[in-house]
Amino acid sequence: MPEAKLLEAFPTPADTPFVIEHVNEEFTSVCPVTGHPDFGSVTLVYEPRGAKAGGTCVELKSLKLYYQSFRNEGIYYEAVTNQIRDDLTRLMKPDWLLIRTDWRGRGGIRSRIFAMHGEVPQHWLR
Amino acid sequence: MPEAKLLEAFPTPADTPFVIEHVNEEFTSVCPVTGHPDFGSVTLVYEPRGAKAGGTCVELKSLKLYYQSFRNEGIYYEAVTNQIRDDLTRLMKPDWLLIRTDWRGRGGIRSRIFAMHGEVPQHWLR
Amino acid sequence: MPEAKLLEAFPTPADTPFVIEHVNEEFTSVCPVTGHPDFGSVTLVYEPRGAKAGGTCVELKSLKLYYQSFRNEGIYYEAVTNQIRDDLTRLMKPDWLLIRTDWRGRGGIRSRIFAMHGEVPQHWLR
Amino acid sequence: MPEAKLLEAFPTPADTPFVIEHVNEEFTSVCPVTGHPDFGSVTLVYEPRGAKAGGTCVELKSLKLYYQSFRNEGIYYEAVTNQIRDDLTRLMKPDWLLIRTDWRGRGGIRSRIFAMHGEVPQHWLR
Amino acid sequence: MPEAKLLEAFPTPADTPFVIEHVNEEFTSVCPVTGHPDFGSVTLVYEPRGAKAGGTCVELKSLKLYYQSFRNEGIYYEAVTNQIRDDLTRLMKPDWLLIRTDWRGRGGIRSRIFAMHGEVPQHWLR
Amino acid sequence: MPEAKLLEAFPTPADTPFVIEHVNEEFTSVCPVTGHPDFGSVTLVYEPRGAKAGGTCVELKSLKLYYQSFRNEGIYYEAVTNQIRDDLTRLMKPDWLLIRTDWRGRGGIRSRIFAMHGEVPQHWLR
Amino acid sequence: MPEAKLLEAFPTPADTPFVIEHVNEEFTSVCPVTGHPDFGSVTLVYEPRGAKAGGTCVELKSLKLYYQSFRNEGIYYEAVTNQIRDDLTRLMKPDWLLIRTDWRGRGGIRSRIFAMHGEVPQHWLR
Amino acid sequence: MPEAKLLEAFPTPADTPFVIEHVNEEFTSVCPVTGHPDFGSVTLVYEPRGAKAGGTCVELKSLKLYYQSFRNEGIYYEAVTNQIRDDLTRLMKPDWLLIRTDWRGRGGIRSRIFAMHGEVPQHWLR
Amino acid sequence: MPEAKLLEAFPTPADTPFVIEHVNEEFTSVCPVTGHPDFGSVTLVYEPRGAKAGGTCVELKSLKLYYQSFRNEGIYYEAVTNQIRDDLTRLMKPDWLLIRTDWRGRGGIRSRIFAMHGEVPQHWLR
Amino acid sequence: MPEAKLLEAFPTPADTPFVIEHVNEEFTSVCPVTGHPDFGSVTLVYEPRGAKAGGTCVELKSLKLYYQSFRNEGIYYEAVTNQIRDDLTRLMKPDWLLIRTDWRGRGGIRSRIFAMHGEVPQHWLR
């Protein structure tokens, strides 16, 4: 069962613009209708609030355990994406946050879902 | 024969900005002139209206069956793309919707068609 | 319905060792159980008998029409592969022939089937 | 000799924003100085005027024959690109049109030429 | 818990040489020491005995369910690979069978394991 | 019109085993039936006889002009491949020679043709 | 131990807009918690102040030695990225500077960190 | 020694927006400190002034000879890039010009340098 | 300092032919002459003796720690490769073992070293 | 001028089978006819004689300087390849040695040349 309480945060180390991206290519949950497993990746990109504003960053190992807690959960693509966005936003209250899930697909259709919190900062470059 | 009535929708789960992309790489229809099959992929990207505004999302299995209903239809690239745009816009009335079709080609020329409904939201990131 | 009688052959132009490969990446048939379409590619590799021995080569346009005749046939991967091997072997009686089918997959499993007639000639180099 | 009169158009099927891309990877002409053949690809991207405004689309087979008419023409990269832009603009009078030619190169230098008609519409997404 | 009894077989359709490959890129089990999930792919390649010799082929859907039964099993890479080889060999008694598992890795090391039954037939070409 | 007399050779510089490969990715000829251009590449691999045995190598610029002489020739894939094999074998009488043509395809089918002279030497490694 | 004093700079050669990118794919430091090595790449992109404004560029060999000084340092991803940004900003006081670190990952999660100084100049094109 | 006088220009053929890109992947010069050769590529992108404004384009063969004149010159990455930008700007006085050099690297660090003249035109699309 | 005593082995689980490959892409040591770090990957492929013959497999975590023990060792490519081959052969006495090291290179030259113990078994397929 | 006397060797460290590959992707010489530069890569693969038999290995820095000595030499592809084979064979008298040169091409034709000394050992695996 997805457990937001597994997530931990630490104080952000800087006040200057700063963007962090974590890509987990080993995500799996279960289709609530068919019971078959779904496989995909989850990308988190965010800009923490500055250190003086009390900004925090998610701790990497706790993030991994949090993702693993979806393993046997029957849940839709859209719900996974929104729940992760909400749990991480609640944890860090960042200036900006984007969750992108990429799913290997069912019935010949591959899917991607994007969910955001806040406005994309100008400094975010790809 | 393409059948829009195969399409089903469910209520969108969120009010925060939210973008969904479904890629079907197994699309086929028939050239209305030569009778030879055309092969391609269809990409749907859209932002549903928010939950409070009564927004909906297309159901994945119904989308697959809808695409399959073009299989033996004699229809041009441009007409396929516009019809899918229109049928899905009518179903969901989304804030924004993009259909992109990529065709393997006839006579050494590969083609792509883009059709849109609404304005690209700023939150759509690639 | 697959129709071997669509296939045509012409006399091979040479007596020296000679290998021909035709790759069709636009193959589709139908799953006999679920009724859903299957998509894949079919690769034909063969060495015709020499001209003096009455060897023949399959004509390219007739091969395309033959492959298209599987479009709405309910047939298993294995049966497709064996039938193509048998129909082309009967047509050309080549010294060696290999059919390889590559399927995009069902339920997360991609498949390839190889069926042969005769012994691989030493001159076949990749 | 390049022949614009080979080009044919048909009425555009829609009034909503609509972008069409045709990529021909089998283009060849002749260097007017050395007489050696040049090889490249030609990409056409355009947005037709709306149906109510009398917009038209280039017919695919006529486009292919038009491109083939350059085969034995002695002509520079820049002139090929501008001529195709002009001939297609005259045919369709589109809201926007881009020609991109990609050349395999001479003397170790690869080249690309871009020529446009009109302003890039905001809806054009890649 | 891995369950060989989920596996089903059907009679092979041919007597001529015939090789079948199924690639499952969505395999997951659990590390018996750390409890963390392992992700990988499983490739099965085999040549069934001929039809006259009573040869059989594994049914694709049953293979998928069998693979899914490892999902929450604590088991080493080597044991997974050997167990799948043994279960499928027992089911089909094929002339030749190869299992290859590719693991995304732990601690910066990616692994592949190959286990075989019988001798590689000469007709197996890549 | 293909002109073998354009080909020139020079004495091979060595007696030790020696293999030469020239790849021309800019080959074009014309389909004798439809009159449409065919595009492809031609790969020549050969081992010249040793210097003491009077071995020769094809001169690179003459090879290019020879290939260009097919530009407006109506000729089948198979005939192109066999003619190049024969013309170059006659010119150099090498210990071993392989011609591979790769064609971009007609009607959705890509083709490759291999024609050889002599036996593959053991020293040829890829 | 990371040593900013290893860094050297030389006067920038131009007043016109000018952007420099150095990619080091051989970066390693040590995880301060587990003691295991981390591997990644560091990308520096910057626009020096103009020559008349006393702008400077980092000297390439000194940059390499500076990066090597992190080899046995126990330090977090975020701290590495911020320290490099600060040390190079202090050295050159450039108009704009971006540090991007790409990490091969721990526990199945790959990470990227971006830290900036100043505003992205309009002339920076990708 | 780099020789700008090798460069030649011809009148631009058009008044409509027009962008030209030449990529030379075979550039070499010499490191002024170590005397070891540097290898890289040079990309030139520019928009000539219109024909009526007396715009010109660089002639391709003269560009190649100009690049070759750097072969045995001891010169830094930054100086190469700025000199090419200056020499070509002086020759053509274009509306916009970008030079990008990509270097294979020294001591494990790959570099890219961008130098510009003028403002990026809006019509430049990638 | 490389420490073979870090290596641990466990009994092999099978008597049937069995090949194991472990790829470590995060290897680093130090050049004994210049003191600069070397970066590369180490691939181990081996076939353990059968279980009845007392065959063993190297334990994955101990292998990782063993590789890490080279981190600050001044040692040549050739010596690294031979030492790993010898240490692992001594540990497991396998029927066959191959070590391949791939080095990112010094001075523009990339290197690979292969060292073996025993004869390649016929069952090893790629 | 190519100078074999730049090459240095050191005693091989092992008696067990051992293969070494060095790839130099930054090779340049000059076409003796046109005076234009040629660019390519040189791959050396060899198995030294065993240590007890007095086997030696080429020293990497001396190899780099030797390759650089071809920089301004007017020399054909075939001659470069044979000379490098001969110079390195004379230096090391290895059990087996292969030189492969890959040339970026002239006039649209890419070339590869292979020259060998001795017989390919069975242990050489790719």
Side-chain angles (χ1 to χ4, degrees):
Chain A
M1 198 168 28
E3 299 188 60
K5 67 174 188 288
L6 289 168
L7 291 166
E8 294 171 20
F10 61 89
T12 190
D15 265 318
T16 11
F18 190 53
V19 171
I20 298 166
E21 180 178 318
H22 295 306
V23 182
N24 177 9
E25 295 182 338
E26 302 181 349
F27 189 90
T28 186
S29 54
V30 173
C31 174
V33 175
T34 63
H36 287 302
D38 284 323
F39 288 83
S41 71
V42 181
T43 299
L44 158 67
V45 192
Y46 71 101
E47 177 166 314
R49 276 171 300 132
K52 288 170 187 154
T56 60
C57 299
V58 64
E59 196 272 331
L60 203 47
K61 189 167 179 191
S62 80
L63 182 65
K64 171 177 147 186
L65 294 174
Y66 167 69
Y67 286 148
Q68 291 181 5
S69 71
F70 285 84
R71 187 173 180 87
N72 292 315
E73 184 75 7
I75 184 167
Y76 288 106
Y77 294 172
E78 290 82 358
V80 167
T81 314
N82 278 287
Q83 175 162 352
I84 294 175
R85 193 254 326 268
D86 292 345
D87 286 347
L88 285 165
T89 297
R90 206 170 296 124
L91 178 80
M92 299 189 289
K93 297 172 191 61
D95 283 343
W96 173 69
L97 183 149
L98 169 71
I99 299 296
R100 187 178 94 185
T101 54
D102 289 77
W103 303 91
R104 289 181 57 89
R106 297 181 199 142
I109 299 186
R110 291 185 286 110
S111 300
R112 294 202 299 181
I113 318 276
F114 303 77
M116 278 200 295
H117 162 82
E119 303 253 318
V120 188
Q122 297 299 7
H123 1 276
W124 195 80
L125 287 178
R126 207 178 79 99
Chain B
M1 198 170 27
E3 299 187 60
K5 67 174 186 289
L6 289 168
L7 291 167
E8 294 171 19
F10 61 90
T12 189
D15 264 319
T16 12
F18 190 53
V19 171
I20 298 166
E21 179 178 317
H22 295 306
V23 181
N24 177 8
E25 294 182 337
E26 302 182 348
F27 189 89
T28 184
S29 53
V30 172
C31 173
V33 176
T34 63
H36 287 303
D38 285 322
F39 289 84
S41 70
V42 180
T43 299
L44 157 68
V45 193
Y46 71 101
E47 176 167 316
R49 275 172 302 133
K52 289 170 187 153
T56 60
C57 299
V58 64
E59 196 272 331
L60 204 47
K61 190 168 180 190
S62 79
L63 182 64
K64 171 177 147 185
L65 293 174
Y66 168 68
Y67 286 148
Q68 290 182 6
S69 71
F70 285 83
R71 186 174 180 86
N72 291 315
E73 184 74 6
I75 185 168
Y76 288 105
Y77 295 171
E78 291 82 359
V80 167
T81 315
N82 278 287
Q83 174 161 354
I84 294 175
R85 192 254 329 265
D86 292 345
D87 287 347
L88 286 165
T89 296
R90 206 171 296 125
L91 177 79
M92 300 188 287
K93 296 172 195 61
D95 284 343
W96 172 70
L97 183 149
L98 169 72
I99 299 295
R100 187 178 94 184
T101 54
D102 289 77
W103 303 91
R104 289 181 56 89
R106 297 179 199 144
I109 298 185
R110 292 185 287 111
S111 300
R112 294 202 299 181
I113 318 277
F114 303 77
M116 278 199 296
H117 161 81
E119 305 252 318
V120 189
Q122 298 298 9
H123 2 277
W124 195 81
L125 286 178
R126 207 179 79 97
Chain C
M1 199 167 28
E3 299 188 59
K5 66 174 187 288
L6 289 168
L7 291 167
E8 294 171 20
F10 61 89
T12 189
D15 264 320
T16 12
F18 190 53
V19 172
I20 298 166
E21 180 179 317
H22 295 307
V23 181
N24 177 9
E25 295 182 338
E26 302 181 349
F27 188 89
T28 185
S29 54
V30 173
C31 174
V33 175
T34 64
H36 287 302
D38 285 323
F39 288 83
S41 70
V42 180
T43 298
L44 158 68
V45 193
Y46 70 102
E47 176 167 314
R49 274 171 302 132
K52 289 171 187 154
T56 60
C57 299
V58 64
E59 197 272 330
L60 205 46
K61 188 166 181 193
S62 79
L63 182 64
K64 171 178 147 185
L65 294 174
Y66 167 69
Y67 286 149
Q68 291 181 5
S69 71
F70 285 84
R71 186 173 180 86
N72 292 315
E73 183 76 6
I75 185 168
Y76 288 105
Y77 294 171
E78 291 83 359
V80 168
T81 314
N82 278 288
Q83 174 160 353
I84 294 175
R85 191 254 328 266
D86 291 346
D87 287 347
L88 286 165
T89 297
R90 206 170 295 123
L91 178 79
M92 299 188 288
K93 296 173 193 62
D95 284 344
W96 172 70
L97 182 149
L98 170 71
I99 299 295
R100 188 178 94 183
T101 53
D102 289 77
W103 303 91
R104 291 181 55 89
R106 296 181 201 142
I109 298 185
R110 291 185 287 112
S111 300
R112 294 202 299 180
I113 318 277
F114 303 76
M116 278 200 295
H117 161 82
E119 305 252 317
V120 189
Q122 298 298 6
H123 0 276
W124 195 81
L125 285 178
R126 208 178 77 98
Chain D
M1 197 168 29
E3 300 187 59
K5 67 175 186 289
L6 290 167
L7 291 166
E8 293 171 20
F10 61 89
T12 190
D15 265 320
T16 13
F18 191 53
V19 171
I20 298 166
E21 179 179 317
H22 295 306
V23 182
N24 177 9
E25 294 182 338
E26 301 182 351
F27 189 88
T28 184
S29 54
V30 173
C31 173
V33 176
T34 64
H36 287 304
D38 285 322
F39 288 84
S41 71
V42 180
T43 298
L44 158 68
V45 193
Y46 71 102
E47 176 166 316
R49 274 171 301 132
K52 289 170 187 153
T56 60
C57 299
V58 64
E59 195 272 330
L60 204 46
K61 189 167 180 191
S62 79
L63 182 64
K64 171 177 147 185
L65 293 174
Y66 167 69
Y67 285 148
Q68 290 181 6
S69 71
F70 285 84
R71 186 174 179 83
N72 292 315
E73 184 75 6
I75 185 168
Y76 288 106
Y77 294 172
E78 290 83 359
V80 168
T81 315
N82 278 287
Q83 175 161 352
I84 294 175
R85 192 253 328 267
D86 291 346
D87 287 347
L88 285 165
T89 297
R90 205 170 298 124
L91 178 79
M92 300 188 288
K93 295 172 195 62
D95 284 343
W96 171 70
L97 182 149
L98 169 72
I99 300 296
R100 187 177 94 183
T101 54
D102 289 77
W103 303 91
R104 289 182 56 88
R106 298 180 199 144
I109 298 186
R110 293 186 285 111
S111 300
R112 294 204 298 182
I113 318 276
F114 303 76
M116 278 199 296
H117 162 81
E119 305 251 320
V120 189
Q122 297 299 9
H123 2 276
W124 195 81
L125 286 178
R126 208 181 79 96
Chain E
M1 197 166 31
E3 300 188 58
K5 68 174 186 289
L6 290 167
L7 290 166
E8 294 171 19
F10 61 89
T12 188
D15 264 321
T16 12
F18 189 54
V19 171
I20 299 166
E21 180 178 316
H22 295 306
V23 181
N24 177 8
E25 294 182 337
E26 302 181 350
F27 188 89
T28 185
S29 54
V30 173
C31 174
V33 175
T34 63
H36 287 302
D38 285 322
F39 288 83
S41 70
V42 180
T43 299
L44 158 67
V45 193
Y46 71 102
E47 176 167 316
R49 275 171 302 132
K52 289 170 188 155
T56 61
C57 299
V58 64
E59 196 273 330
L60 205 47
K61 187 166 182 193
S62 80
L63 182 64
K64 171 177 147 186
L65 294 174
Y66 167 69
Y67 285 149
Q68 291 181 5
S69 71
F70 284 83
R71 186 173 180 86
N72 292 314
E73 183 76 5
I75 185 169
Y76 288 104
Y77 295 171
E78 291 83 358
V80 167
T81 315
N82 277 288
Q83 174 161 353
I84 294 174
R85 193 253 329 264
D86 291 346
D87 286 347
L88 286 164
T89 296
R90 207 170 293 125
L91 178 79
M92 300 188 288
K93 296 175 193 60
D95 283 344
W96 172 70
L97 182 149
L98 169 71
I99 300 295
R100 187 178 95 183
T101 55
D102 289 76
W103 302 91
R104 291 182 56 89
R106 296 181 200 142
I109 299 185
R110 291 186 287 110
S111 299
R112 294 204 297 180
I113 318 276
F114 302 77
M116 278 200 295
H117 161 81
E119 305 251 318
V120 189
Q122 297 299 6
H123 1 276
W124 195 82
L125 285 178
R126 208 178 78 96
Chain F
M1 198 168 26
E3 299 188 59
K5 66 174 188 288
L6 289 168
L7 290 166
E8 293 171 21
F10 61 90
T12 189
D15 265 319
T16 11
F18 190 52
V19 171
I20 298 166
E21 180 178 318
H22 295 306
V23 181
N24 177 9
E25 294 183 337
E26 302 181 349
F27 189 89
T28 185
S29 54
V30 173
C31 174
V33 175
T34 63
H36 288 303
D38 285 322
F39 288 83
S41 70
V42 180
T43 299
L44 158 67
V45 193
Y46 71 102
E47 176 167 316
R49 275 172 302 133
K52 287 171 187 154
T56 60
C57 300
V58 64
E59 195 273 330
L60 204 47
K61 187 167 181 192
S62 78
L63 182 64
K64 172 178 147 185
L65 294 173
Y66 167 70
Y67 285 148
Q68 290 181 5
S69 70
F70 284 84
R71 186 173 180 86
N72 292 315
E73 184 75 6
I75 185 168
Y76 288 106
Y77 294 171
E78 290 83 357
V80 167
T81 315
N82 278 288
Q83 175 160 352
I84 293 175
R85 192 255 327 268
D86 291 346
D87 287 347
L88 285 165
T89 297
R90 206 170 296 124
L91 178 80
M92 299 189 288
K93 297 172 192 62
D95 283 345
W96 172 70
L97 184 149
L98 170 72
I99 300 295
R100 188 178 94 183
T101 54
D102 288 78
W103 303 91
R104 290 181 56 90
R106 298 180 200 143
I109 299 185
R110 291 185 287 111
S111 300
R112 294 202 300 179
I113 318 277
F114 303 76
M116 277 201 294
H117 162 82
E119 305 251 317
V120 188
Q122 298 298 8
H123 0 277
W124 196 81
L125 287 177
R126 206 180 79 100
Chain G
M1 199 168 28
E3 300 188 58
K5 68 175 186 289
L6 288 168
L7 291 166
E8 293 172 21
F10 62 89
T12 189
D15 265 318
T16 12
F18 191 53
V19 171
I20 298 166
E21 179 177 318
H22 295 306
V23 181
N24 177 10
E25 294 181 338
E26 302 180 349
F27 189 89
T28 185
S29 54
V30 172
C31 173
V33 175
T34 62
H36 287 303
D38 285 323
F39 287 84
S41 70
V42 181
T43 299
L44 159 68
V45 193
Y46 70 102
E47 176 167 313
R49 278 171 298 133
K52 287 171 187 153
T56 60
C57 299
V58 64
E59 196 273 331
L60 204 48
K61 188 167 180 192
S62 80
L63 183 64
K64 171 177 148 186
L65 294 174
Y66 166 69
Y67 285 148
Q68 290 181 5
S69 71
F70 285 84
R71 186 173 180 87
N72 292 314
E73 184 75 6
I75 185 168
Y76 288 105
Y77 293 172
E78 290 82 357
V80 166
T81 315
N82 278 287
Q83 175 160 353
I84 294 174
R85 193 252 329 264
D86 292 345
D87 286 347
L88 285 165
T89 297
R90 206 169 295 125
L91 178 79
M92 299 189 288
K93 297 172 193 61
D95 283 345
W96 172 69
L97 183 148
L98 169 70
I99 300 295
R100 187 177 94 185
T101 54
D102 288 77
W103 303 91
R104 291 181 57 89
R106 297 182 200 142
I109 298 184
R110 290 186 288 110
S111 300
R112 294 204 298 181
I113 319 276
F114 303 76
M116 277 200 294
H117 162 83
E119 305 251 318
V120 189
Q122 297 298 10
H123 0 276
W124 196 81
L125 287 177
R126 206 178 78 99
Chain H
M1 198 167 28
E3 299 188 59
K5 67 175 185 288
L6 289 169
L7 291 166
E8 292 171 21
F10 61 89
T12 189
D15 265 319
T16 12
F18 190 54
V19 171
I20 299 165
E21 179 178 318
H22 295 306
V23 181
N24 177 8
E25 295 182 338
E26 302 181 349
F27 189 89
T28 185
S29 53
V30 172
C31 173
V33 175
T34 63
H36 287 303
D38 285 323
F39 288 82
S41 70
V42 180
T43 299
L44 159 68
V45 193
Y46 71 101
E47 175 166 315
R49 276 171 300 133
K52 288 171 188 154
T56 60
C57 299
V58 63
E59 195 274 330
L60 204 47
K61 189 167 180 192
S62 79
L63 182 64
K64 172 178 147 186
L65 294 174
Y66 166 69
Y67 285 149
Q68 290 181 5
S69 72
F70 285 84
R71 187 174 179 83
N72 292 314
E73 184 75 7
I75 185 168
Y76 288 104
Y77 294 172
E78 289 83 358
V80 167
T81 315
N82 278 288
Q83 175 160 354
I84 294 174
R85 193 252 329 263
D86 291 345
D87 286 347
L88 286 165
T89 297
R90 206 170 296 126
L91 178 79
M92 300 189 288
K93 296 172 194 61
D95 284 344
W96 171 69
L97 182 149
L98 169 72
I99 300 294
R100 187 177 94 184
T101 54
D102 288 77
W103 303 91
R104 289 181 57 89
R106 296 182 199 142
I109 299 184
R110 291 185 287 110
S111 300
R112 294 203 298 180
I113 318 277
F114 303 76
M116 278 199 295
H117 162 83
E119 305 251 318
V120 189
Q122 298 298 10
H123 1 277
W124 196 82
L125 286 178
R126 207 180 78 96
Chain I
M1 197 167 31
E3 300 187 59
K5 67 175 187 289
L6 290 168
L7 292 166
E8 293 172 19
F10 61 89
T12 189
D15 264 320
T16 11
F18 190 54
V19 171
I20 299 166
E21 181 178 316
H22 295 306
V23 181
N24 177 9
E25 294 182 338
E26 302 180 350
F27 188 88
T28 184
S29 53
V30 173
C31 174
V33 175
T34 62
H36 287 303
D38 285 323
F39 288 84
S41 70
V42 180
T43 299
L44 158 67
V45 193
Y46 71 101
E47 176 167 315
R49 277 171 299 133
K52 287 170 187 154
T56 61
C57 299
V58 64
E59 195 273 331
L60 205 47
K61 188 167 181 193
S62 79
L63 182 63
K64 171 178 147 185
L65 294 174
Y66 167 69
Y67 285 148
Q68 290 182 4
S69 71
F70 285 84
R71 187 172 179 86
N72 292 314
E73 184 75 7
I75 185 168
Y76 288 105
Y77 294 172
E78 290 83 359
V80 167
T81 315
N82 278 288
Q83 175 161 353
I84 294 174
R85 193 252 329 264
D86 291 346
D87 287 347
L88 285 165
T89 297
R90 207 170 294 125
L91 178 79
M92 300 188 288
K93 295 174 192 63
D95 283 344
W96 172 69
L97 182 149
L98 169 71
I99 300 296
R100 188 178 93 183
T101 54
D102 288 77
W103 303 91
R104 289 182 56 90
R106 297 181 200 143
I109 299 184
R110 291 185 288 109
S111 299
R112 294 204 298 180
I113 318 276
F114 302 76
M116 278 200 294
H117 162 82
E119 305 250 318
V120 189
Q122 298 299 9
H123 0 277
W124 195 81
L125 286 178
R126 207 179 78 95
Chain J
M1 198 167 29
E3 299 188 60
K5 66 175 188 286
L6 288 168
L7 291 166
E8 293 172 21
F10 61 89
T12 189
D15 265 320
T16 11
F18 191 53
V19 171
I20 298 166
E21 180 178 316
H22 295 306
V23 181
N24 177 9
E25 294 183 338
E26 302 181 349
F27 188 89
T28 185
S29 54
V30 172
C31 174
V33 175
T34 63
H36 288 303
D38 285 323
F39 288 83
S41 71
V42 180
T43 299
L44 159 68
V45 193
Y46 71 101
E47 176 167 315
R49 275 172 300 135
K52 288 173 187 153
T56 60
C57 299
V58 63
E59 196 273 331
L60 204 47
K61 188 168 180 191
S62 79
L63 182 64
K64 171 177 146 186
L65 293 174
Y66 167 70
Y67 285 148
Q68 291 182 4
S69 71
F70 284 84
R71 186 172 180 86
N72 292 315
E73 184 75 6
I75 185 167
Y76 288 105
Y77 294 173
E78 290 83 358
V80 166
T81 314
N82 278 287
Q83 176 161 352
I84 293 175
R85 193 253 327 265
D86 291 346
D87 286 347
L88 284 165
T89 297
R90 207 170 294 126
L91 178 80
M92 299 188 289
K93 296 173 192 63
D95 283 345
W96 173 69
L97 183 149
L98 169 72
I99 299 295
R100 187 178 93 184
T101 54
D102 288 77
W103 303 91
R104 289 182 56 89
R106 298 180 199 143
I109 299 185
R110 291 185 288 110
S111 300
R112 293 202 300 180
I113 318 276
F114 303 76
M116 278 200 294
H117 162 82
E119 305 251 316
V120 189
Q122 298 298 10
H123 0 277
W124 195 82
L125 287 177
R126 206 179 79 97

